[in-house]
């Protein structure tokens, strides 16, 4: 890639950073410093605004860069991510959104602690939320590194390293200065830019093939080197039984994981009522559904126009397929159209990464301050002291995410997000559903549900082919692989539900019927909600 291409992209990205820093600075000058403002933006956002922000939070680098790249490499099987990410919102809409808004205040732990002993529940839920958030952040860091390597015309390790550090520094600034209000407006701006860029690329792909979808798919299959198998299930997950179980595991993680993501759950507290939370999800589903349909077109479009070989030459994991597609659609290397379109797409991808890391960092720092710090102090801190701890936590989480992002720089970003979804579905979803719907659920059951899903999920990932035992692993030179699946969801999600049940039935604690009744009324009616 020549300087003609990366300079405009960097300028556009610089403009986005300037605008978002301006928003953050403006918000920081008008903040009151309260916990409600920092964690929930004062609960002042409308359903449409929060719907756009939810979409902006969810449409990450995994969606924009990773899914299209996977479709280029493995065809039909790559679409599983798009389908799973979208279907997951039905679980959020029907089981989670309104009830969480009514029962909680700022974090997942608020929902569970409403009817349990607070300290052990908050420590467990806070630990799980931070773990999921860090895994999610790693994927965004990897996407940033891949994009900058392409922009600068190579795979310079120094360029990747400084990019990941820069993204980490910016996310800390966004969170520590602006809190939820600034983060929400950044998400909204990013969602508009991302949807606009995706629509433009999709239209250009369809125009290239004169609106003939069949021709687009056949050309993609021909260039893939796999023929008709490229358009049928099984290229990535249809080999032996291990691959098939991996397919089921991934599907479970994607469909169930969204309802356990801390940065998604925290968005329901930014609107004034449960009805507004439900309407926010309806807005988000419409926006996200259209986006994922377009990413499928972009994936097959990149396979047909650019070709898998060119994509692999740029990024072995396929993360640069969409920017390369934009360059070709605009007229190719050296053309003005190619330069402009490539610059726009690269800048939008950068904006996507920055906005998502800001939202995830805010959710994780809230868990550290509101759940872990306050619980370990044995008494609830003043709101201002919690906010100060949350700002410090953002720095620490940023450092951890940077380090892990550099370590995992060669993995596909959609795949990395799949691991985060698996941990969220294993540790957060069981305790959330049990707390909302099981009258006899106890404190021991809540703690066991979290750790019974979290620990197996993390351990199985460490013992999987993702970490060792294969040339594509994090540590290809060693082999301590004991678990054959790449995604742990098939095992760890049932374990989370089973542990919660076992903890409850073996507990001597008598469930508090009055607190459960109060929580049930509050969850269904909103009476007494924050």
């Amino acid at each position: 890639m020549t300087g003609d291409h990366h300079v405009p992209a960097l300028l556009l990205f610089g403009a986005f950073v300037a605008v978002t820093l301006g928003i953050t600075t403006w918000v920081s000058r008008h903040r009151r410093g309260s916990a409600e403002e920092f964690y929930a933006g004062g609960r002042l956002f409308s359903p449409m605004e929060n719907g756009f922000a939810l979409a902006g939070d969810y449409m990450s680098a995994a969606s924009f860069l990773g899914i299209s790249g996977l479709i280029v490499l493995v065809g039909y099987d790559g679409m599983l991510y798009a389908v799973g990410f979208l279907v997951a919102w039905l679980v959020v809409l029907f089981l989670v959104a309104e009830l969480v808004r009514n029962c909680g205040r700022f974090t997942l732990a608020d929902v569970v602690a409403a009817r349990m002993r607070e300290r052990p529940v908050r420590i467990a839920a806070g630990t799980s939320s931070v773990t999921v958030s860090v895994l999610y952040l790693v994927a965004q860091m990897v996407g940033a590194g891949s994009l900058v390597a392409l922009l600068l015309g190579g795979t310079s390790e120094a360029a990747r390293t400084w990019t990941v550090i820069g993204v980490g520094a910016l996310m800390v600034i966004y969170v520590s200065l602006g809190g939820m209000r600034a983060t929400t407006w950044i998400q909204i701006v990013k969602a508009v830019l991302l949807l606009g860029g995706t629509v433009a690329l999709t239209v250009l792909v369809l125009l290239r093939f004169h609106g003939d979808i069949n021709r687009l798919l056949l050309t993609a299959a021909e260039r893939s080197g796999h023929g008709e198998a490229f358009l049928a299930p099984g290229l990535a997950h249809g080999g032996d039984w291990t691959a098939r179980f991996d397919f089921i595991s991934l599907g479970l993680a994607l469909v169930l994981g969204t309802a356990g993501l801390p940065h998604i759950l925290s968005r329901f507290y930014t609107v004034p009522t449960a009805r507004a939370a439900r309407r926010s999800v309806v807005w988000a589903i419409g926006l996200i559904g259209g986006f994922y349909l377009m990413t499928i077109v972009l994936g097959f479009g990149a396979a047909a126009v650019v070709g898998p070989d060119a994509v692999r030459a740029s990024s072995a994991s396929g993360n640069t397929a969409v920017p390369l597609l934009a360059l070709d659609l605009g007229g190719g290397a050296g053309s003005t159209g190619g330069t402009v379109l490539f610059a726009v797409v690269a800048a939008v991808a950068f904006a996507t990464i920055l906005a998502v890391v800001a939202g995830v960092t805010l959710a994780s720092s809230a868990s550290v301050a509101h759940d872990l710090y306050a619980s370990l102090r044995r008494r609830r801190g003043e709101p201002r002291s919690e906010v100060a701890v949350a700002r410090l936590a953002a720095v620490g989480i940023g450092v951890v995410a940077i380090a892990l992002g550099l370590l995992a720089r060669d993995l596909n970003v959609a795949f990395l997000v799949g691991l985060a979804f698996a941990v969220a579905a294993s540790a957060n979803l069981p305790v959330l559903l049990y707390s909302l719907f099981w009258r006899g659920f106890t404190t021991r059951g809540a703690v066991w549900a979290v750790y019974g899903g979290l620990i197996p999920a993390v351990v199985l990932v460490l013992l999987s082919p993702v970490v060792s035992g294969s040339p594509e692993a994090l540590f290809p030179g060693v082999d301590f692989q004991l678990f054959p699946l790449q995604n742990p969801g098939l095992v760890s999600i049932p374990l989370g539900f089973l542990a919660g049940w076992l903890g409850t039935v073996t507990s001597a604690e008598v469930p508090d019927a009055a607190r459960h009744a109060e929580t049930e009324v509050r969850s269904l009616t909103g009476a007494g909600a924050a």
Side-chain angles (χ1 to χ4, degrees):
M1 203 64 59
T2 65
D4 291 338
H5 296 95
H6 76 252
V7 170
L10 292 176
L11 289 175
L12 285 173
F13 175 61
F16 175 81
V17 171
V19 169
T20 52
L21 286 176
I23 293 172
T24 304
T25 303
W26 181 82
V27 169
S28 67
R29 290 177 178 174
H30 293 82
R31 71 184 182 210
R32 296 187 301 274
S34 67
E36 184 172 289
E37 183 180 48
F38 184 81
Y39 295 139
R43 310 189 201 280
L44 300 174
F45 292 99
S46 69
M48 185 182 74
E49 291 169 343
N50 197 45
F52 268 87
L54 272 168
D57 233 343
Y58 196 69
M59 297 183 301
S60 65
S63 303
F64 191 55
L65 301 177
I67 292 176
S68 298
L70 281 175
I71 292 174
V72 171
L73 300 181
V74 298
Y76 182 97
D77 282 7
M79 291 197 304
L80 173 65
Y81 284 88
V83 175
F85 284 150
L86 179 57
V87 172
W89 280 92
L90 298 178
V91 178
V92 177
L93 177 63
F94 292 117
L95 291 180
V96 172
E98 288 187 80
L99 303 183
V100 166
R101 173 61 189 84
N102 283 336
C103 288
R105 189 163 172 244
F106 301 130
T107 64
L108 165 69
D110 289 335
V111 180
V112 185
R115 48 179 293 214
M116 310 289 177
R117 295 200 311 274
E118 282 204 33
R119 191 165 183 262
V121 166
R122 286 192 179 277
I123 292 174
T127 301
S128 173
S129 295
V130 172
T131 303
V132 172
S133 298
V134 169
L135 283 173
Y136 206 90
L137 283 172
V138 170
Q140 312 308 315
M141 298 297 191
V142 171
S146 297
L147 199 58
V148 161
L150 177 66
L151 278 175
L152 300 182
T155 56
S156 165
E157 294 302 323
R160 288 191 178 202
T161 300
W162 284 109
T163 300
V164 170
I165 292 173
V167 170
L170 283 171
M171 78 183 188
V172 170
I173 293 171
Y174 290 146
V175 171
S176 58
L177 291 182
M180 179 59 85
R181 190 171 297 179
T183 300
T184 299
W185 283 111
I186 292 169
Q187 303 287 11
I188 292 171
V189 171
K190 166 260 177 128
V192 172
L193 290 175
L194 181 59
L195 287 168
T198 308
V199 167
L201 280 182
T202 302
V203 169
L204 289 173
V205 168
L206 295 177
L207 287 176
R208 173 69 68 92
F209 292 91
H210 306 289
D212 189 343
I213 299 293
N214 189 51
R215 183 182 164 202
L216 165 63
L217 295 175
L218 290 176
T219 305
E222 182 182 344
R223 293 203 64 180
S224 71
H226 298 286
E228 292 184 0
F230 190 72
L231 304 178
L235 199 59
H237 300 288
D240 55 16
W241 279 104
T242 299
R244 296 178 186 181
F245 281 126
D246 229 337
F247 177 86
I248 298 171
S249 186
L250 176 62
L252 281 174
L254 296 182
V255 171
L256 299 178
T258 299
L261 292 176
H263 66 289
I264 297 298
L265 295 175
S266 66
R267 293 231 59 88
F268 298 135
Y269 302 125
T270 65
V271 290
T273 64
R275 182 170 182 266
R278 184 181 70 249
R279 291 173 60 196
S280 297
V281 175
V282 173
W283 271 98
I285 288 175
L287 296 169
I288 292 167
F291 172 76
Y292 282 125
L293 286 175
M294 290 186 287
T295 61
I296 294 173
V297 175
L298 296 185
F300 285 109
V305 174
V306 181
D309 292 338
V311 171
R312 283 193 186 93
S314 172
S315 171
S317 53
N319 292 333
T320 56
V322 173
L324 290 174
L325 174 64
L327 182 63
D328 198 297
L329 291 174
S335 67
T336 302
T339 299
V340 171
L341 197 57
F342 176 88
V344 169
V345 169
V348 167
F350 261 130
T352 297
I353 292 166
L354 272 185
V356 171
V357 297
V360 178
T361 304
L362 178 61
S364 54
S365 62
S367 293
V368 171
H370 187 63
D371 299 327
L372 297 178
Y373 169 74
S375 297
L376 293 173
R377 286 190 61 196
R378 295 183 178 274
R379 63 182 182 85
R380 305 297 293 167
E382 292 296 320
R384 287 183 183 275
S385 67
E386 273 192 22
V387 171
V389 172
R391 293 193 173 102
L392 290 175
V395 178
I397 291 165
V399 171
V400 173
I402 288 169
L404 293 176
L406 294 173
L407 182 65
R409 59 182 173 267
D410 293 324
L411 296 181
N412 182 278
V413 289
F415 169 74
L416 287 169
V417 165
L419 295 181
F421 273 61
V423 178
S426 304
N428 292 348
L429 186 63
V431 72
L432 182 61
L433 294 183
Y434 279 150
S435 297
L436 292 172
F437 299 109
W438 188 6
R439 183 183 302 273
F441 198 44
T442 64
T443 301
R444 177 191 282 183
V447 174
W448 282 27
V450 174
Y451 292 130
L454 176 65
I455 295 173
V458 173
V459 170
L460 291 177
V461 168
L462 293 176
L463 299 178
S464 74
V466 177
V467 176
S468 71
S470 68
E472 299 82 19
L474 287 180
F475 303 106
V478 295
D479 186 359
F480 48 85
Q481 173 196 338
L482 297 176
F483 182 66
L485 305 184
Q486 293 189 335
N487 191 292
L490 184 62
V491 176
S492 59
I493 295 172
L495 284 178
F497 282 99
L498 178 62
W501 176 79
L502 280 176
T504 298
V505 299
T506 60
S507 173
E509 177 185 352
V510 178
D512 191 328
R515 290 183 72 180
H516 174 266
E518 179 185 344
T519 303
E520 188 174 39
V521 171
R522 179 174 167 182
S523 68
L524 295 175
T525 67

